[in-house]
Amino acid sequence: MAVKSAYITRKLSKAEKAEKSNLTNSGFTVEEELQAYKEMLLIRRFEEKAGQLYGMGFIGGFCHLYIGQEAVVVGMQMAQKEGDQVITSYRDHGHMLACGMDPKGVMAELTGRRGGLSKGKGGSMLLFSREKQFFGGHGIVGAQVPLGAGLAFANKYRGNDHVSVAYFGDGAANQGQVYETFNMASIWKLPCIFIIENNRYAMGTAATRSTANAEQLGARGAAFGIPFEQVDGMDVRAVKEAADRAVEHCRAGEGPYILEMMTYRYRGHSMSDPAKYRSKEEVQKMREEHDPIEQVKARILNGKLATEDELKKIDADIRVIVTEAAEFAQNDPEPDASELYTDIYVNG
Amino acid sequence: MPNILMPALSPTMEEGKLAKWLKNVGDMVKSGDVIAEIETDKATMEVEAVDEGPLSAILVPAGTENVKVNTPIAVIGEADAAPAPKAAVAAPAVEAVVTAPAVVTATIAPDTDIPEGTEMVSMTVREAIRAAMSEEMRADPDVFLMGEEVGQYQGAYKISQGMLDEFGPQRVIDTPITEHGFTGLAVGAAFAGLKPIVEFMTFNFAMQAIDHIINSAAKTLYMSGGQMGCPIVFRGANGAAARVAAQHSQDYAAWYGAIPGLKVVMPYTAADAKGLMKAAIRDPNPVVFLENEILYGKSFDVPKLDDWVVPIGKARIHRAGKHVTIVAFGIGMTYAIAAADKLAAEGIEAEIIDLRTIRPMDIATIVESVKKTNRCVCVEEGYPQFSVTSELAAQIMTHAFDYLDAPVARVAGKDVPMPYAANLEKLALPNADEVVQAAKAVLYV
């Protein structure tokens, strides 16, 4: 395994080393390495299972898998605190798991069952959790960007120090409402972190074919005076470090921040996408050289932060969680027919 | 000697207040000089001189209200006679142009929701909407107003006049011209539990934002399995104003009325505008509140109560009658009322139902009326196909078929984009005579 990262480990000061007793050479503490490993692996295994259930006909409609992009949401989440809001597009399973939403409830929503987090009425793309401050799960490309700025607006209106994290892809980056939002977020100094998950393909259209100046999408924020960084989104450490800067900026009342995460999805746009627009070699190269989970695994083993057996135990535990979620999602009944007419209006 | 006439300063302006003269009789006036300030229903505007010469007479003194458009207000040019007698001669004309504000005097059936003996105050629809928003903002710090020109400009139609001063820029928020973006942002704020009032300068511009109104605001409660509601009000001028042509003259009642998850309100009187606006702001669901520019300046009696709230989803019998039921809403009510007056002169008593809410629709009140009259005419300004009146006709057929002595008749806007020319615009809109004809048709007279 020859996984590599573009991320360059910072030289740590003595003070920093003293502060974090468990700090490894990689820049993460032992706990952080293991946490990142577990959370990314849960997403990976969950998504593999979702793909399997789709093939078996348990999941209908669209199903957009997050495999390959796990480091983005896990690294971001490590920098956030309870009460910070998250909103994203329809490629949302990873975000929900990272937010701490119940894998059973998520998987049962994918299969359209009554125990699903939206009672089976939303499906793979439309999931929410007020408890975990996860605001969807939106099926209209780009719509979550002004919605996310609205969550940030509410934080500012209430005078709290929470930040809102709004994820969108390189495809959504061409929607007009994104720039309407950048403008308002900037003039009103909204505590909003805009995450561009640049996985290089808007469905089947390469960013280089659809997008002006595709090398630096985050730079578009410069026109609105919003600071931006381009980040190796395959390396969870790089994500976390950039996220820390963005969160600090927003919490300090300095306004919005853009992080362009350079990432890659291994699977097609959705389950029905044969991915003819890119070569198998391209995908294989990313998997072999940049896989976010393998990077952490290699660091853990090389740094002797855990043994092979300990990692196998983590893997086994995660497989149990995912298997239980899949079993629940297959056996839970469909929603009662009376649910057709509920939840259209509050109080009626 | 050229007369200076009272200018029309907005599409719907019929009269205005001569607020201030900036020149005195005898002053030399050059082309481009500001000579007076005129207050319209929308703003205070400066009047510039076109002709040059000494201001020889002021025909309408400063402070005069309700000066009709095209009334001579001053004379410029060499005075042939002394200025004083001219002013004196002009004096009667001043009185002639000072007319009472347009108070709607048509018989309004007593509203059973108003406690007996309640004092009534005259108020324009504009003032009623402003009062409702202000009262709710005083009562609930989570309520805020955002939109184009709502703050410093004091509202494009003066609805929010004075609100920036009272509530400050944190709660009366001027947005960039970016309907899609600010509507999405407001919906996000509502997801987080705030209660935004989004003003669209007109609903024509809300088409830029309709994705967020429908896909984000209306549907999220359902698709989240009841977890995430959206307490928000979308409001603004809807329908035809006057001479603003196709892109600025459209009624969206049927569009939003088609969407599960939305409530849609379209009041006619100031009392209903106030009571329904307060209900809309308190409603935990997204409410589309359709106003009308022509109605903004109309005055009605509004109950003087600390907390006047009209429930959403309830129609009101505006005028009782036994021969034919006329169902209308919003500005459509003006045609219904004028028609009922004409019919009354011929001995036909029309019962007028003001629908007030488009969704949920109060079919029960209409069915009760049709059981009595056995005949029904439905009126609206919107396009005729897939319209509110076509829905009404279908509902009445379903629920009152055995009581109908004639097919339900509909009077709607014509099936054309709104033309600009004055005569064509008039033809495109419904009128009282069409309602009279429809009533006579269902009465077979």
Side-chain angles (χ1 to χ4, degrees):
Chain A
M1 187 60 59
V3 287
K4 60 187 174 192
S5 166
Y7 175 74
I8 297 158
T9 306
R10 281 185 305 121
K11 285 259 188 210
L12 296 159
S13 68
K14 275 188 180 171
E16 276 179 296
K17 280 181 182 168
E19 199 181 315
K20 293 184 173 181
S21 56
N22 255 334
L23 202 64
T24 69
N25 290 332
S26 75
F28 264 2
T29 63
V30 176
E31 288 77 16
E32 283 171 333
E33 291 282 28
L34 288 171
Q35 182 194 355
Y37 180 72
K38 278 182 203 165
E39 292 189 0
M40 291 195 290
L41 196 63
L42 173 63
I43 295 172
R44 176 74 53 96
R45 296 286 174 260
F46 183 96
E47 293 291 66
E48 286 166 353
K49 182 59 84 178
Q52 195 186 6
L53 291 182
Y54 192 93
M56 292 160 73
F58 281 100
I59 298 172
F62 298 124
C63 187
H64 310 88
L65 302 181
Y66 198 61
I67 296 174
Q69 300 181 212
E70 296 92 342
V72 177
V73 74
V74 168
M76 282 306 303
Q77 206 66 29
M78 288 171 81
Q80 291 163 232
K81 70 175 186 184
E82 203 177 320
D84 289 346
Q85 302 106 329
V86 173
I87 191 165
T88 186
S89 71
Y90 43 80
R91 195 179 303 284
D92 55 357
H93 311 160
H95 301 72
M96 292 185 281
L97 296 174
C99 284
M101 287 161 69
D102 177 17
K104 282 184 183 170
V106 177
M107 196 69 96
E109 189 59 40
L110 268 54
T111 56
R113 305 306 171 96
R114 64 177 60 179
L117 287 165
S118 296
K119 301 186 195 165
K121 297 181 185 182
S124 160
M125 299 185 284
L126 310 169
L127 277 132
F128 306 81
S129 170
R130 191 172 281 289
E131 184 201 345
K132 303 290 182 190
Q133 292 290 290
F134 178 75
F135 288 83
H138 292 269
I140 306 296
V141 174
Q144 74 276 18
V145 181
L147 294 171
L151 299 168
F153 176 92
N155 294 335
K156 188 169 169 108
Y157 189 91
R158 291 180 166 133
N160 64 39
D161 73 341
H162 287 301
V163 302
S164 157
V165 183
Y167 293 84
F168 57 101
D170 47 291
N174 285 327
Q175 286 279 21
Q177 61 183 318
V178 170
Y179 302 98
E180 297 188 20
T181 304
F182 282 3
N183 182 45
M184 289 184 289
S186 181
I187 58 173
W188 294 336
K189 285 191 176 278
L190 300 181
C192 192
I193 304 175
F194 298 107
I195 307 292
I196 306 172
E197 294 196 70
N198 185 351
N199 65 19
R200 302 196 207 172
Y201 297 93
M203 197 166 154
T205 304
T208 46
R209 292 201 297 129
S210 63
T211 306
N213 202 6
E215 299 73 35
Q216 244 191 351
L217 294 180
R220 293 174 171 198
F224 303 90
I226 305 177
F228 71 96
E229 293 182 40
Q230 196 169 48
V231 183
D232 176 4
M234 304 301 278
D235 186 335
V236 68
R237 296 170 303 164
V239 174
K240 162 76 164 58
E241 196 181 298
D244 282 337
R245 283 189 293 274
V247 166
E248 193 185 337
H249 177 90
C250 285
R251 284 210 213 289
E254 299 292 319
Y257 205 94
I258 296 170
L259 297 176
E260 181 185 6
M261 302 291 185
M262 307 309 286
T263 184
Y264 200 81
R265 69 168 148 74
Y266 298 170
R267 298 291 185 95
H269 165 72
S270 69
M271 289 301 294
S272 48
D273 170 17
K276 299 271 199 229
Y277 45 83
R278 62 186 185 187
S279 67
K280 284 199 172 111
E281 292 71 33
E282 179 184 300
V283 182
Q284 204 52 36
K285 194 171 158 63
M286 286 302 291
R287 295 188 84 124
E288 284 176 4
E289 297 184 6
H290 297 283
D291 187 79
I293 298 173
E294 291 300 333
Q295 286 187 44
V296 181
K297 189 176 180 181
R299 285 202 302 273
I300 289 173
L301 293 176
N302 294 342
K304 298 196 190 332
L305 310 180
T307 64
E308 192 101 39
D309 281 347
E310 282 166 332
L311 291 189
K312 275 183 184 161
K313 170 79 169 58
I314 290 171
D315 209 349
D317 289 346
I318 284 169
R319 280 183 196 280
V320 169
I321 294 170
V322 169
T323 304
E324 282 177 0
E327 277 173 7
F328 175 73
Q330 291 170 79
N331 297 318
D332 193 41
E334 288 186 315
D336 192 84
S338 65
E339 285 289 344
L340 183 62
Y341 289 106
T342 61
D343 305 321
I344 299 165
Y345 294 100
V346 179
N347 302 340
Chain B
M1 279 192 306
N3 276 340
I4 298 175
L5 305 180
M6 181 72 172
L9 298 166
S10 82
T12 50
M13 177 177 167
E14 290 169 358
E15 56 186 30
K17 176 182 177 181
L18 211 159
K20 195 173 170 187
W21 283 105
L22 299 168
K23 297 278 181 186
N24 296 313
V25 171
D27 286 356
M28 277 305 291
V29 175
K30 281 190 285 182
S31 176
D33 281 356
V34 176
I35 56 170
E37 282 180 5
I38 288 175
E39 222 174 284
T40 73
D41 56 349
K42 288 186 189 167
T44 300
M45 310 277 284
E46 295 177 336
V47 180
E48 290 181 8
V50 179
D51 297 305
E52 305 205 339
L55 185 68
S56 47
I58 285 176
L59 306 177
V60 176
T64 308
E65 303 216 25
N66 311 114
V67 182
K68 297 271 185 225
V69 167
N70 281 338
T71 305
I73 55 172
V75 183
I76 283 189
E78 295 300 335
D80 299 327
K86 270 190 185 297
V89 169
V94 175
E95 276 174 44
V97 297
V98 179
T99 53
V103 177
V104 174
T105 50
T107 359
I108 296 185
D111 192 330
T112 48
D113 296 327
I114 305 173
E116 221 172 300
T118 301
E119 188 191 336
M120 305 295 274
V121 287
S122 179
M123 198 181 259
T124 62
V125 171
R126 168 182 291 109
E127 290 162 344
I129 295 168
R130 183 190 307 142
M133 291 195 295
S134 299
E135 284 175 22
E136 292 307 298
M137 284 177 67
R138 280 174 211 132
D140 185 347
D142 282 346
V143 180
F144 67 92
L145 173 67
M146 82 181 339
E148 292 156 8
E149 312 293 4
V150 296
Q152 284 192 19
Y153 192 92
Q154 305 295 328
Y157 296 99
K158 273 195 184 172
I159 303 297
S160 56
Q161 190 173 37
M163 289 178 67
L164 176 66
D165 283 347
E166 179 175 356
F167 299 104
Q170 306 301 317
R171 298 182 69 196
V172 177
I173 300 153
D174 281 323
T175 65
I177 304 171
T178 179
E179 285 84 5
H180 195 184
F182 73 68
T183 304
L185 190 146
V187 170
F191 287 165
L194 296 181
K195 296 166 188 164
I197 305 169
V198 176
E199 174 173 313
F200 294 114
M201 196 178 291
T202 81
F203 263 91
N204 303 289
F205 313 142
M207 273 204 283
Q208 301 252 18
I210 202 164
D211 176 56
H212 279 297
I213 298 173
I214 293 174
N215 271 319
S216 304
K219 295 179 182 172
T220 297
L221 184 71
Y222 194 80
M223 56 199 204
S224 67
Q227 285 185 72
M228 208 158 286
C230 187
I232 193 168
V233 177
F234 303 106
R235 53 154 291 265
N238 169 64
R243 308 294 309 283
V244 290
Q247 291 181 334
H248 288 72
S249 309
Q250 191 171 334
D251 177 1
Y252 292 90
W255 287 47
Y256 295 111
I259 304 302
L262 290 181
K263 293 186 179 182
V264 183
V265 173
M266 191 157 162
Y268 163 60
T269 69
D272 286 343
K274 186 176 183 200
L276 283 165
M277 176 57 76
K278 285 167 70 86
I281 294 167
R282 291 180 197 184
D283 201 289
N285 299 288
V287 180
V288 174
F289 194 96
L290 302 171
E291 301 161 10
N292 184 286
E293 189 185 334
I294 293 164
L295 294 179
Y296 279 151
K298 290 215 185 299
S299 296
F300 295 84
D301 280 346
V302 176
K304 195 178 175 187
L305 294 168
D306 286 344
D307 198 21
W308 168 242
V309 182
V310 173
I312 292 173
K314 231 179 117 199
R316 178 174 56 79
I317 310 279
H318 186 80
R319 169 174 176 151
K322 60 186 177 196
H323 296 131
V324 58
T325 301
I326 303 177
V327 184
F329 51 93
I331 196 164
M333 283 291 291
T334 57
Y335 310 118
I337 292 164
D341 286 343
K342 290 186 178 197
L343 290 165
E346 298 183 42
I348 298 167
E349 291 173 30
E351 176 150 295
I352 302 175
I353 296 178
D354 183 350
L355 198 55
R356 303 198 290 191
T357 300
I358 308 300
R359 182 188 187 94
M361 205 176 247
D362 183 3
I363 293 299
T365 295
I366 297 165
V367 167
E368 278 313 301
S369 177
V370 170
K371 280 182 178 174
K372 184 173 68 175
T373 63
N374 311 113
R375 296 150 206 282
C376 188
V377 177
C378 302
V379 184
E380 72 180 309
E381 266 200 0
Y383 296 136
Q385 290 201 33
F386 317 106
S387 64
V388 176
T389 51
S390 53
E391 175 66 18
L392 282 166
Q395 294 275 359
I396 295 164
M397 188 184 73
T398 305
H399 298 288
F401 186 76
D402 290 341
Y403 296 92
L404 286 171
D405 286 346
V408 174
R410 301 196 290 134
V411 176
K414 308 304 179 292
D415 201 13
V416 297
M418 185 63 72
Y420 170 68
N423 64 325
L424 296 181
E425 182 185 57
K426 208 172 165 196
L427 286 169
L429 290 167
N431 59 56
D433 286 336
E434 288 176 348
V435 180
V436 169
Q437 280 167 23
K440 288 184 174 175
V442 298
L443 283 157
Y444 301 110
V445 293

